[in-house]
Amino acid sequence: MKKHQQPAWGPADGETPQQHYLVAPRHLAGAGDLRHITEYLRAAGWKDHTPRHGSPVSFESRDRTVRIGYANHIIPAMWTMSGGPQNAPEQTWHATFDAATPVEIIAGFTDTLTRARSPHAPDVWRPLTTQGWSTGEGQHPTVTSPDGTARLQFREEQDTTMWWAAAKTTTAAGQHVVAWRAVFSENTPLHAIEGFAATLADPRPLLRPPGHVPYAAAQHATVTPYMVLPSQLRAMQQDRAATARTPAQRAWGTVQPRPRMPASAAYAAAHHGGRQR
């Protein structure tokens, strides 16, 4: 595999570039680093109810109307989200993501929940169709990725409606293998599903360290070696958290200035996450 051309600048003192991989399409890149989601929620002021031993991950919105969690002590491990009126005995909507769903794609949903709603009506389909996803004929409205390995579908059966997304690969024998699924119940905020659709449709590859690229990606995706410095990864993680902070928090100096990185380094680090390759 051909390496990307490296930026024309050297590492900081004592730093050694590390081998990573760019994976495209992104929906086959594997789970990634949970901190891509959790550190953003924490920076956005959400209450962290995660126990000291780190499992299960549990966050609650400032107004106590939305809960986001990740449970790896159950089989299968998964992300769970729910929401409803404050102090209501039951939640009015639920969403689940398999553990193998790339965190950068899930973040399209969770990041959106931390922000005020746009005054514009959400359009779940548009982020996908504008990136060349094709619409399908059938009982349920469906859009499918250009390579055919991912889809988003709206299902309406009897008195139940839901949104459903999945990525899949195919074995040499022609059998379908599901990489991950995401399910959004009725009443799930459409603007958050739109945010998920936007990150799902994003054509940019995701960056993964060695040992974190699923085997299926090597068979069905483009996996390109890419060298990156540890300081670049740390800087972009910090910048992502900074975007989650409120204007008031930023005014109090919680974000420390630092020299800007070259755009090529920023691109690579922005897509860092957690094949075994």
Side-chain angles (χ1 to χ4, degrees):
M1 291 175 288
K2 185 179 179 180
K3 291 190 176 183
H4 279 221
Q5 183 177 358
Q6 299 304 303
W9 40 262
D13 292 343
E15 276 201 301
T16 301
Q18 298 177 346
Q19 179 72 73
H20 281 63
Y21 298 92
L22 290 168
V23 183
R26 57 174 38 208
H27 53 261
L28 297 180
D33 192 331
L34 302 183
R35 293 174 297 178
H36 187 82
I37 293 174
T38 59
E39 290 186 359
Y40 191 94
L41 295 174
R42 191 175 295 113
W46 283 42
K47 180 66 176 178
D48 186 356
H49 296 292
T50 306
R52 287 182 177 272
H53 55 77
S55 180
V57 171
S58 179
F59 282 83
E60 186 177 48
S61 62
R62 293 184 177 192
D63 60 5
R64 304 179 65 181
T65 62
V66 180
R67 296 181 179 86
I68 293 174
Y70 177 78
N72 60 3
H73 64 289
I74 62 174
I75 299 176
M78 67 174 56
W79 289 91
T80 60
M81 290 89 175
S82 61
Q86 186 175 359
N87 301 320
E90 295 183 1
Q91 301 292 281
T92 57
W93 63 264
H94 302 269
T96 60
F97 300 84
D98 289 350
T101 312
V103 291
E104 296 88 348
I105 294 177
I106 299 174
F109 185 86
T110 56
D111 289 5
T112 302
L113 291 173
T114 70
R115 301 189 288 262
R117 295 196 184 196
S118 167
H120 303 292
D123 183 346
V124 175
W125 304 114
R126 183 175 180 180
L128 299 155
T129 56
T130 55
Q131 290 297 335
W133 287 48
S134 59
T135 58
E137 300 291 337
Q139 179 182 359
H140 307 291
T142 305
V143 290
T144 304
S145 62
D147 69 343
T149 60
R151 63 176 53 187
L152 177 68
Q153 186 175 83
F154 178 73
R155 296 184 175 183
E156 188 170 10
E157 299 175 346
Q158 298 179 350
D159 296 331
T160 302
T161 61
M162 59 184 252
W163 292 85
W164 175 89
K168 67 177 182 179
T169 56
T170 306
T171 67
Q175 296 177 321
H176 295 311
V177 178
V178 176
W180 56 263
R181 293 186 182 90
V183 180
F184 309 91
S185 74
E186 188 174 16
N187 299 321
T188 300
L190 282 180
H191 72 295
I193 302 177
E194 181 186 35
F196 163 80
T199 50
L200 176 61
D202 193 331
R204 293 175 295 178
L206 296 179
L207 192 68
R208 293 290 184 261
H212 293 266
V213 180
Y215 176 77
Q219 309 301 313
H220 299 86
T222 300
V223 181
T224 308
Y226 195 92
M227 303 300 290
V228 62
L229 296 174
S231 61
Q232 296 164 10
L233 298 175
R234 290 193 300 269
M236 291 308 299
Q237 289 168 351
Q238 293 168 4
D239 286 349
R240 172 167 162 76
T243 64
R245 297 187 177 100
T246 65
Q249 287 174 306
R250 290 196 291 269
W252 280 99
T254 56
V255 182
Q256 298 299 319
R258 59 174 174 274
R260 295 180 60 85
M261 292 191 305
S264 55
Y267 168 77
H271 297 84
H272 172 61
R275 174 171 215 275
Q276 284 67 15
R277 183 178 181 89

